[in-house]
Amino acid sequence: MNPFQKNESKETFFSPVSTEEVPPPPPSLPKKPPPKICGSNYPLSIIFIVVNEFCERFSYYGMKAVLTLYFLYFLHWNEDTSTSVYHAFSSLCYFTPILGAAVADSWLGKFKTIMYLSLVYVLGHVIKSLGALPILGGHMVHTVLSLVGLSLIALGTGGIKPCVAAFGGDQFEKTHEEERTRYFSVFYLSINAGSLISTFVTPMLRGDVQCFGGDCYALAFGVPGLLMVIALVVFAMGSKMYKKTPPEGNIVTQVIKCIWFALSNRFKNRSGDIPKRQHWLDWAAEKYPKQLIMDVKALTRILFLYIPLPMFWALLEQQGSRWTLQATRMNRNLGFIVLQPDQMQVLNPLLVLIFIPLFDLVIYPLVSKCGINFSSLRKMAVGMILACLAFAVVAVVETKVNEMAPPQPGPQEIFLQVLNLADDEVKVTVVGDDNNSLLPESIRSFQKMPHYSKLHLKTKSQDFHFHLKYHNLSVYTEHSVEEKKWYSLIIREDGESISSMMVKDAENITTNGMTAVRFLNTLHKEVNINLGADISLNVGEDYDVSAYRTVQIGEYSAVRCKTEDDDFLLNLGLLNFGAAYLFVITNSTRQGPQAWKTEDIPANKISIAWQLPQYVLVTAGEVMFSVTGLEFSYSQAPSSMKSVLQAAWLLTIGVGNFIVLTVAQFSDLVQWVEFTLFSCLLLLVCLVFSIMGYYYVPLKSEDIQEPAAKKIPHIQENTINLETKNTKL
């Protein structure tokens, strides 16, 4: 969670279009001062802006927290596609601020831009929530609604991103610098508060509330949408109190035009007869003022250091995708609380709030007292190393999780387990294949199998012949199987003899670390089973097998069941994280129907608490990298270029998300290998960044020329807008 992604206040200085004398305007009545908060120097209007920001950040991060699991379990995309679309959306959210800033500064102004794009934002939330309603259309409708909704949300959140903080700064008088600084502190606090609360609450709305027979994604998306409506209403309520500055021209556009003119002019004058110039940007001198060219020169020195930065964001942004997917395969019971897999993301904003004062007040002063020159670039390099270590830890945790997961059948392989429901032991042998026995010993009645057995096929699908030896009887049976599948061979009594049935088991049927159950009914009557939370299923008579149903984990000691003429209770016992169970309903005792329980897939045993070290490392790296990087960038560039730096900083985050998208979609690597790859790539990039930083000569504050007191006329009588920003955290 990066709270430093908002533009600060702007004070725009511009030169007159003409030097001709203009008659003085008639005297105007003094403007009524805007209302203040309790007689202080704080404008009352900033309350509406801060509340708006809190609600908007709650809306954005709350929706984003459950997005990956929505793709995976509601739209039924695979993990790579879910990750790719998640990061495509994140990348778009960091490219659209360029458009929002251009519209605000050159056309509509900040207030109208925030209002109009907030309406787009709300519309995106409405469409996204409709796409999460199971009763509304089929899979294609849900997919289209989701993608359209996410596109509108990306346009809305990205478009207002560079406007809201700056609009709040505009509300203060120039003489109230200290109050404006405190406003930004409260503003950034509202960002973290919104993200902290939403990443904890919305996963609960998704997982703890059941609707339409499953997780309530519609509610998890609808509540953030409602918060965005509140944000828009609150912002509009303060309309009459706001100080609305007119559009002043976009400095980013000026910089791009200046660079483009310099390059094109240099290309046109590449003849050897034309004298060379000291710097390639000097070729823009024919059209652009000297001060602007000098500022762009200072800017390009910083932008050169930005080239390696996207790789850091590629790692940091995976907390909401790959790390959440890892959490779904871990045990989420911490003893005092049961977490949802997407709730682990709450650690990031929580640790940011802890680490920023810890580093500023404790760690950095201690390092300084030790005589170590801990410069800004060194802090950023250490932040990269911490992120590398975080992903090394992620890779280790991933290997441990994989060790606990059941193996997957490969090409021309199947996994088979035998369930003996007869009243005596049975010897099972595969006919052919040298009469290999599935188990060296006979299978006792209702014996729980320790694991699946692997059988090799000669083709992709094959008929297997089994020899069942029961008492003095030999029974031969034939069943068809397909490669890469899981099967259960169920042996049952058939009068004085036995018979068998082959049931295809589903692999990876547990969702969100929940538990999955299915039932086999040996009774001669259909059974209706009520699992609570509006989850019920019917199992037909005489060895009918139900489909898997996912339920919440917990103790199920009295499950209500009924037949056409009887009601009874079944004790299913503890249903644990990530496990899949088969319950055989029998009636062989005087106590009435009973449930025999066996595990198809074992429960998750690796605790989700093992993700804590990786969150600590990556958040510490974020604080050292992100906060220090912005501070260093702003200290090295003229005030007029700070908005350009903000745009470039956001673009590095967007490019980082695009890197993750590319790797997830095209690498086809095992997950722990992919984590290791990202760690090694960032380590390599850190080395390159360290070399670049070693040769970088920092500018002192007195060396940075500030044109605030100057008015530079354009040689073609156009207005030059040079922004200054007061950035204090």
Side-chain angles (χ1 to χ4, degrees):
M1 213 70 61
N2 184 5
F4 305 94
Q5 292 167 3
K6 299 282 183 179
N7 280 358
E8 288 75 17
S9 63
K10 297 183 180 179
E11 298 171 4
T12 305
F13 298 86
F14 55 92
S15 59
V17 174
S18 174
T19 57
E20 296 180 5
E21 292 188 6
V22 179
S28 58
L29 296 175
K31 291 184 178 180
K32 183 180 179 181
K36 306 291 184 179
I37 300 177
C38 300
S40 66
N41 291 325
Y42 294 95
L44 184 61
S45 57
I46 65 171
I47 294 179
F48 299 95
I49 298 174
V50 170
V51 174
N52 165 270
E53 183 65 12
F54 170 82
C55 294
E56 189 275 328
R57 291 290 87 186
F58 186 108
S59 169
Y60 174 74
Y61 285 114
M63 178 277 305
K64 195 177 178 184
V66 300
L67 198 55
T68 299
L69 298 187
Y70 169 79
F71 293 151
L72 189 66
Y73 298 127
F74 188 89
L75 296 182
H76 304 293
W77 295 346
N78 60 40
E79 292 190 358
D80 289 338
T81 303
S82 301
T83 301
S84 298
V85 177
Y86 175 90
H87 288 283
F89 166 71
S90 298
S91 182
L92 187 60
C93 289
Y94 289 107
F95 284 122
T96 50
I98 306 297
L99 176 62
V103 170
D105 291 341
S106 304
W107 181 26
L108 294 178
K110 299 184 189 71
F111 175 76
K112 289 184 178 180
T113 301
I114 295 171
M115 287 294 298
Y116 294 159
L117 290 182
S118 292
L119 290 172
V120 174
Y121 203 160
V122 170
L123 179 62
H125 270 296
V126 171
I127 295 175
K128 185 74 192 70
S129 301
L130 292 176
L133 289 173
I135 59 174
L136 189 64
H139 181 267
M140 181 57 67
V141 173
H142 295 149
T143 301
V144 171
L145 289 175
S146 297
L147 295 180
V148 171
L150 288 176
S151 300
L152 294 177
I153 291 172
L155 177 60
T157 187
I160 68 175
K161 192 184 293 290
C163 301
V164 180
F167 185 68
D170 290 344
Q171 307 307 307
F172 290 86
E173 303 293 335
K174 295 181 180 179
T175 56
H176 299 154
E177 183 69 28
E178 183 178 350
E179 286 80 3
R180 179 160 49 188
T181 301
R182 291 176 182 171
Y183 153 75
F184 281 120
S185 298
V186 175
F187 186 86
Y188 292 128
L189 179 63
S190 70
I191 294 175
N192 278 281
S195 62
L196 179 68
I197 297 173
S198 64
T199 49
F200 185 79
V201 171
T202 51
M204 294 174 61
L205 298 176
R206 174 197 59 77
D208 295 342
V209 178
Q210 298 290 304
C211 61
F212 304 104
D215 284 355
C216 202
Y217 289 99
L219 180 64
F221 289 135
V223 170
L226 178 62
L227 264 292
M228 190 58 220
V229 173
I230 295 174
L232 177 59
V233 171
V234 170
F235 184 77
M237 286 171 61
S239 174
K240 295 183 178 180
M241 304 181 192
Y242 296 141
K243 182 192 298 182
K244 303 170 186 175
T245 56
E248 304 161 344
N250 188 263
I251 190 64
V252 178
T253 306
Q254 293 277 347
V255 170
I256 294 174
K257 289 181 178 179
C258 178
I259 293 175
W260 175 255
F261 182 80
L263 292 173
S264 59
N265 194 29
R266 176 68 183 90
F267 181 77
K268 293 175 183 177
N269 296 279
R270 60 186 182 275
S271 173
D273 299 333
I274 300 177
K276 294 183 178 180
R277 302 187 183 183
Q278 187 176 9
H279 194 280
W280 63 272
L281 277 169
D282 291 334
W283 289 94
E286 283 81 358
K287 185 175 181 181
Y288 292 93
K290 181 179 179 181
Q291 184 61 55
L292 178 62
I293 295 174
M294 293 177 64
D295 289 349
V296 176
K297 287 180 182 178
L299 173 70
T300 54
R301 298 177 75 249
I302 307 297
L303 296 184
F304 178 70
L305 290 176
Y306 278 17
I307 294 175
L309 303 192
M311 185 53 67
F312 176 85
W313 299 115
L315 275 68
L316 185 71
E317 290 287 302
Q318 293 188 53
Q319 296 173 73
S321 56
R322 293 300 199 192
W323 290 19
T324 298
L325 294 175
Q326 183 186 75
T328 62
R329 294 177 283 117
M330 304 177 77
N331 191 317
R332 299 181 277 109
N333 190 348
L334 299 180
F336 60 93
I337 189 174
V338 177
L339 292 175
Q340 297 293 337
D342 34 4
Q343 273 183 317
M344 285 298 288
Q345 300 173 63
V346 78
L347 285 174
N348 181 258
L350 179 62
L351 291 172
V352 164
L353 293 176
I354 296 173
F355 282 169
I356 287 180
L358 178 64
F359 275 75
D360 286 341
L361 302 178
V362 179
I363 295 179
Y364 292 155
L366 284 177
V367 172
S368 179
K369 287 185 178 180
C370 293
I372 301 175
N373 180 20
F374 208 24
S375 65
S376 296
L377 293 178
R378 290 178 180 176
K379 291 177 184 176
M380 295 177 69
V382 171
M384 290 183 177
I385 294 174
L386 289 175
C388 291
L389 294 176
F391 265 69
V393 172
V394 177
V396 173
V397 172
E398 184 70 17
T399 58
K400 294 299 181 182
V401 171
N402 290 340
E403 289 175 2
M404 304 303 299
Q408 300 296 318
Q412 296 187 5
E413 290 179 352
I414 66 166
F415 282 166
L416 179 69
Q417 69 170 346
V418 180
L419 301 178
N420 180 14
L421 306 184
D423 60 355
D424 204 351
E425 64 182 22
V426 177
K427 182 74 173 179
V428 182
T429 306
V430 181
V431 179
D433 296 331
D434 299 326
N435 291 325
N436 291 327
S437 176
L438 289 178
L439 290 173
E441 304 295 334
S442 297
I443 303 172
R444 299 187 306 274
S445 176
F446 287 90
Q447 176 183 342
K448 293 185 178 181
M449 304 299 293
H451 54 76
Y452 281 79
S453 299
K454 182 188 296 185
L455 294 182
H456 295 276
L457 282 64
K458 296 178 181 178
T459 59
K460 292 184 177 181
S461 61
Q462 181 177 328
D463 292 337
F464 269 105
H465 298 269
F466 298 93
H467 174 217
L468 311 178
K469 189 172 182 180
Y470 172 71
H471 294 163
N472 295 324
L473 297 175
S474 291
V475 178
Y476 292 89
T477 183
E478 177 183 344
H479 298 286
S480 297
V481 295
E482 298 177 356
E483 65 174 356
K484 299 182 180 180
K485 302 294 183 182
W486 303 60
Y487 293 93
S488 291
L489 180 65
I490 299 174
I491 301 171
R492 60 175 183 168
E493 295 180 21
D494 189 2
E496 296 296 328
S497 183
I498 58 173
S499 61
S500 65
M501 53 189 290
M502 186 74 78
V503 177
K504 184 185 293 185
D505 299 343
E507 66 278 11
N508 300 327
I509 40 73
T510 57
T511 62
N512 303 348
M514 296 170 66
T515 187
V517 296
R518 60 175 178 164
F519 293 85
L520 190 154
N521 179 22
T522 67
L523 306 181
H524 300 301
K525 303 173 183 178
E526 181 179 294
V527 178
N528 176 267
I529 304 170
N530 184 4
L531 294 168
D534 298 328
I535 301 176
S536 64
L537 50 90
N538 294 320
V539 190
E541 60 189 23
D542 294 328
Y543 293 89
D544 185 33
V545 182
S546 72
Y548 283 101
R549 291 296 300 269
T550 55
V551 297
Q552 297 288 341
I553 59 101
E555 190 76 29
Y556 288 76
S557 57
V559 175
R560 295 186 177 276
C561 306
K562 63 180 179 179
T563 62
E564 59 184 4
D565 55 5
D566 189 21
D567 292 350
F568 58 91
L569 300 176
L570 289 180
N571 181 10
L572 306 185
L574 176 64
L575 305 185
N576 216 338
F577 284 99
Y581 300 96
L582 170 66
F583 292 96
V584 180
I585 303 174
T586 63
N587 192 12
S588 57
T589 67
R590 295 180 180 179
Q591 299 177 356
Q594 303 290 317
W596 179 66
K597 176 181 178 182
T598 183
E599 277 189 353
D600 291 343
I601 297 177
N604 299 339
K605 293 184 174 62
I606 302 295
S607 174
I608 201 172
W610 285 104
Q611 283 197 327
L612 181 60
Q614 64 202 49
Y615 273 98
V616 171
L617 286 170
V618 82
T619 307
E622 178 187 0
V623 170
M624 298 189 71
F625 180 90
S626 179
V627 179
T628 307
L630 277 174
E631 176 189 353
F632 171 78
S633 302
Y634 281 22
S635 69
Q636 295 294 294
S639 296
S640 62
M641 295 293 111
K642 286 184 169 65
S643 62
V644 185
L645 279 177
Q646 183 76 7
W649 185 267
L650 294 175
L651 284 177
T652 62
I653 304 175
V655 174
N657 278 279
F658 186 78
I659 292 173
V660 183
L661 183 160
T662 305
V663 173
Q665 198 63 32
F666 301 108
S667 67
D668 199 26
L669 296 174
V670 180
Q671 193 55 64
W672 73 268
V673 176
E674 183 182 299
F675 287 143
T676 306
L677 172 65
F678 275 111
S679 181
C680 294
L681 286 176
L682 183 58
L683 187 61
L684 179 63
V685 167
C686 178
L687 178 61
V688 173
F689 179 77
S690 300
I691 296 173
M692 294 168 63
Y694 179 79
Y695 289 101
Y696 179 84
V697 180
L699 296 177
K700 298 180 181 180
S701 58
E702 57 268 20
D703 297 332
I704 302 175
Q705 299 187 29
E706 300 290 353
K710 301 179 182 180
K711 294 186 178 181
I712 309 166
H714 196 292
I715 63 171
Q716 295 188 9
E717 297 183 348
N718 289 331
T719 300
I720 299 297
N721 295 325
L722 299 176
E723 302 176 356
T724 63
K725 292 189 176 184
N726 301 288
T727 307
K728 296 185 179 181
L729 304 182

